[in-house]
Amino acid sequence: MSQPDLPIIEPFRIKSVEPIRMTTREERERHVAEAEGNLFRIPAKNVLIDLLTDSGTGAMSSAQWGAVLRGDESYAGSPSYERFEQSVHELFGFEHVIPTHQGRAAEHILFQTLGGPGLVFPNNTHFDTTRANIESTGAAALDLPCAESADTRSTFPFKGNMDLDALEGLLEREKGNVPLVMMTVTNNGAGGQAVAIDNLRAVRAICDSHGVPLFIDACRFAENAWLVKQRDPAWAEKDVREIVRATFEVADGCTMSAKKDGLANIGGFLAVRDRDLARELRQRLVVTEGFPTYGGMSGRDLEAVAQGLTEVIEEDYLAYRQASIAYVCDRLDERGIPVVLPAGGHAIFLDAARFLPHVPWSKFPGQALAIELYLEGGIRSCEIGSLMMGRKDEDGNELPAAHELVRLAIPRRTYTQSHMDYLIAIIERVWQRRSEIGGVEITFEPPVLRHFGASFRSVPAAQPEVSGRT
Ligand code: F0G
């Protein structure tokens, strides 16, 4: 709940609590050393506030826990599937609903079916698992974010948009090689930024003129709908359900991770309009996920998602969530701390390139900053920069990502406003001593999704350059 001039309060009260534990600085230094600088390797019990991801880390409601008990575990035709299918169908409007254990399983099935060498899949910005699932088929994953997204300081309200001219040009050039266009709402890779309904409609029109289907990566559909309502006067008076309908009516299908706006701890789905495509996708589903009426989820998971989808579009909830994230973003911005503007839907993004301007991209300033936030206050965050999104050229040389960001992803309904105040205070302390912070180098690197498994060693802050002039 958020009313101007009143403190932000959570629109729920707490029925069940989970203790979190403060550690000492010495302990945290040991934890970082043992994890070889990779925060994914730190046991969660050693983290005070875990902002690694907003995925699967939210708190379920009492209504969801109640629904869990109703879960029917029949292998085929479970009534829990019927409730799940109904709830997805009502909200998103797709005829065929195919459950998967999480979002990347939906991506895997979709791209194994439609991908292959020589093909190209454009997106406003691919999430890392989407990219990996496309590239593993030999196809190319192309990001076409709008120009405004390049400037982390720009307050353009829809920095998640697709670059329409670039899309048009690509479809022209790659005629016959683009099996589908994808739009990720909100655009996680570009800072959790909103996508405008107008932009979605324009993408649809371009797709139509080239006869190419449009799919939506729906993970944060409700947060996107809320940002549309806040930022586009044409939608200000509409309810969220209507905005969600407008979002998906332009699409031929979607992939979804229910671990985000499904308000569940696991689950996902693929949903499509085309019957023949649905049949093909279900064939693959049976091999890797499960029978089409559970597809990788238990009956109780299906129930939790079905109920979660009704709660996530409640306006009190969305208003509070957005206000709480914008609160952190605005307080940091006021202090001159570089953040991605405007506030996104699920996370606060620090701009590590501007936070640590003395650390070059090749020394991963985002990873260095994430480590410092853990050392300073037990906060776990995630680099989204040249470590996660960087590429290599044909000779194996590193290429930088578009941005060096640190994402503070806020789990849904899990932390309170005082946790947010603590977060601001810790970031400010790190900001005060930023000039002492050096970068990191990779000492071990796995071949795919390297950020999950890489090891690092820290390198000291560069000494001021000694001038060669006499
Ligand atoms: N698409 C987007 C935009 C995502 O953010 C994610 C996951 C996925 C797809 C894959 O879904 O995890 O259920 O397999 N994002 C998480 C994150 C992991 O931290 O942003 P999944």
Side-chain angles (χ1 to χ4, degrees):
M1 259 174 274
S2 70
Q3 294 178 44
D5 310 326
L6 281 178
I8 297 166
I9 63 162
E10 293 75 17
F12 46 80
R13 53 187 182 177
I14 296 166
K15 198 190 280 277
S16 171
V17 297
E18 208 178 349
I20 50 177
R21 189 173 74 90
M22 185 46 120
T23 46
T24 63
R25 168 107 199 176
E26 289 67 38
E27 285 172 322
R28 294 195 291 278
E29 279 170 3
R30 208 179 60 238
H31 299 147
V32 169
E34 284 166 4
E36 297 174 325
N38 190 328
L39 301 178
F40 287 96
R41 286 207 197 105
I42 295 186
K45 65 174 189 291
N46 296 331
V47 175
L48 183 69
I49 298 186
D50 205 344
L51 308 181
L52 190 57
T53 179
D54 62 320
S55 178
T57 50
M60 294 217 294
S61 66
S62 50
Q64 281 179 295
W65 284 112
V68 161
L69 278 183
R70 193 170 61 170
D72 178 298
E73 304 302 342
S74 302
Y75 190 91
S78 158
S80 298
Y81 172 71
E82 287 171 16
R83 280 188 281 272
F84 170 83
E85 185 198 29
Q86 183 65 16
S87 129
V88 174
H89 177 70
E90 264 174 26
L91 199 53
F92 298 85
F94 298 115
E95 285 77 1
H96 304 283
V97 179
I98 301 169
T100 59
H101 80 275
Q102 63 183 82
R104 69 198 68 184
E107 293 164 0
H108 181 73
I109 288 167
L110 182 65
F111 294 116
Q112 286 295 316
T113 306
L114 298 178
L119 301 175
V120 185
F121 291 90
N123 199 330
N124 46 358
T125 308
H126 288 284
F127 184 65
D128 59 355
T129 60
T130 324
R131 173 177 289 281
N133 273 305
I134 290 170
E135 291 177 348
S136 73
T137 73
L142 202 67
D143 293 337
L144 302 175
C146 66
E148 292 85 351
S149 79
D151 177 3
T152 58
R153 276 169 279 202
S154 154
T155 54
F156 180 66
F158 294 105
K159 284 164 83 175
N161 283 352
M162 177 84 92
D163 180 334
L164 299 173
D165 292 339
L167 179 66
E168 179 72 59
L170 177 83
L171 293 182
E172 205 51 61
R173 253 188 348 268
E174 293 284 350
K175 241 178 218 326
N177 292 333
V178 181
L180 59 82
V181 170
M182 200 139 189
M183 284 289 274
T184 302
V185 305
T186 56
N187 189 343
N188 186 13
Q193 295 292 319
V195 176
I197 300 292
D198 286 351
N199 188 256
L200 274 168
R201 289 178 172 171
V203 167
R204 174 77 225 191
I206 294 172
C207 287
D208 280 345
S209 69
H210 292 268
V212 176
L214 172 61
F215 270 59
I216 293 180
D217 177 336
C219 292
R220 300 180 179 85
F221 73 95
E223 289 165 3
N224 198 73
W226 182 255
L227 292 171
V228 166
K229 186 176 164 81
Q230 299 308 296
R231 296 178 185 177
D232 183 345
W235 294 93
E237 301 306 321
K238 303 281 198 289
D239 52 78
V240 169
R241 191 178 273 279
E242 236 177 297
I243 303 174
V244 172
R245 197 168 309 127
T247 305
F248 290 94
E249 75 188 6
V250 302
D252 298 284
C254 76
T255 56
M256 170 74 183
S257 167
K259 300 171 73 173
K260 285 87 172 171
D261 275 352
L263 296 181
N265 301 123
I266 195 77
F269 56 84
L270 247 171
V272 298
R273 296 194 199 283
D274 185 90
R275 199 182 50 151
D276 294 337
L277 176 59
R279 197 171 282 158
E280 221 179 314
L281 297 170
R282 286 196 177 106
Q283 287 302 324
R284 284 186 194 274
L285 186 84
V286 182
V287 180
T288 57
E289 287 286 287
F291 189 74
T293 59
Y294 73 86
M297 279 195 272
S298 64
R300 49 184 169 268
D301 298 330
L302 292 164
E303 294 279 357
V305 176
Q307 173 63 27
L309 288 174
T310 68
E311 294 175 12
V312 78
I313 55 171
E314 282 170 13
E315 301 206 352
D316 271 357
Y317 159 73
L318 286 168
Y320 134 79
R321 178 157 174 78
Q322 175 57 26
S324 173
I325 287 169
Y327 170 85
V328 178
C329 193
D330 293 348
R331 293 298 92 75
L332 295 175
D333 186 38
E334 279 160 23
R335 290 162 170 75
I337 298 174
V339 285
V340 175
L341 296 173
H346 68 294
I348 298 101
F349 290 75
L350 300 176
D351 184 341
R354 286 195 286 128
F355 201 115
L356 301 175
H358 53 286
V359 178
W361 66 265
S362 57
K363 297 285 183 284
F364 306 111
Q367 184 65 13
L369 179 54
I371 291 172
E372 290 303 323
L373 294 175
Y374 177 75
L375 289 173
E376 187 67 46
I379 290 166
R380 176 153 67 175
S381 56
C382 179
E383 191 260 17
I384 300 194
S386 292
L387 174 64
M388 183 192 277
M389 313 288 267
R391 300 280 147 247
K392 292 198 171 145
D393 67 12
E394 280 127 40
D395 303 324
N397 300 314
E398 291 269 350
L399 301 171
H403 300 294
E404 304 300 331
L405 306 180
V406 171
R407 187 184 72 171
L408 304 153
I410 310 297
R412 296 171 180 77
R413 309 189 291 202
T414 303
Y415 295 109
T416 63
Q417 269 307 103
S418 32
H419 292 113
M420 297 301 107
D421 284 322
Y422 174 86
L423 171 64
I424 295 165
I426 293 300
I427 296 171
E428 198 171 6
R429 281 201 195 171
V430 175
W431 174 245
Q432 297 306 338
R433 58 178 182 77
R434 61 193 179 279
S435 61
E436 302 154 20
I437 299 171
V440 298
E441 283 174 355
I442 295 181
T443 55
F444 166 75
E445 170 170 356
V448 283
L449 298 175
R450 67 177 177 181
H451 52 289
F452 288 131
S455 299
F456 305 92
R457 97 171 133 243
S458 45
V459 290
Q463 297 305 310
E465 297 245 328
V466 180
S467 164
R469 281 175 299 157
T470 50

